[in-house]
Structures are given as C-alpha cells and as structure tokens.
Amino acid sequence: QAFAYPNPSVGPLLRLTLRLDEPGDEAELMLYTPAMTCVLKQKLGPFQRGWNQAAVDVSHLPAGLYFMRIGQARGRVILLR
C-alpha cells in the first residue's frame, strides 16, 4: 500500500507513506507523464517492516498530471494515479 500527499502537491516535497512486508526492503519510485515518459526515478529506503514515510523533491517538475509507480526488489509494484 502507498499514499502520496499532498495531492496535488503544493510545495517542493511530495510525501509518501508506504507499507512494506519485510524489513530492509528498498523501493524505487518512478513518476511518468501521461505520455508515459519517465521524469523522475529515485531509490527509497531501506525501510522497516510495516508503515514507513519518505519525501521526494518534485520542485523541478512543472505542474501537471503524473502517474507514480513504486516497485520493490521482490517485484511488487504499486501504481498511483
């Protein structure tokens, strides 16, 4: 599970809350435009088991609609629109 806030982003940071099943798992965040062009790719973690928080700097991105993909080393993928 993952939550992104504030949505829409109103400042330089997009805050994420993630729930991971295993301790030490890392995740990779990717942001895509509606044309599916990747505009941001960032490693997150390592995290503890359970709920974790992270922040991503999105200040360099223009206002608009983005799709977020969060992938874990174990292959699990979360897609937020």
Side-chain angles (χ1 to χ4, degrees), residues 30-40 61-62 64-68:
M30 287 162 279
L31 285 182
Y32 295 92
T33 65
M36 297 312 292
T37 302
C38 183
V39 293
L40 179 70
L61 297 174
L65 176 68
Y66 296 94
F67 297 94
M68 181 169 54

Side-chain angles (χ1 to χ4, degrees), residues 12-72:
L13 294 179
L14 178 65
R15 300 193 187 282
L16 305 171
T17 301
L18 309 165
R19 186 178 62 81
L20 301 178
D21 296 330
E22 298 294 328
D25 272 358
E26 291 187 343
E28 184 174 62
L29 167 83
M30 287 162 279
L31 285 182
Y32 295 92
T33 65
M36 297 312 292
T37 302
C38 183
V39 293
L40 179 70
K41 187 174 186 179
Q42 182 174 329
K43 295 274 187 193
L44 305 172
F47 295 113
Q48 300 298 316
R49 182 176 185 205
W51 290 101
N52 297 272
Q53 293 188 340
V56 178
D57 182 4
V58 293
S59 62
H60 64 286
L61 297 174
L65 176 68
Y66 296 94
F67 297 94
M68 181 169 54
R69 180 182 185 271
I70 301 172
Q72 291 178 257

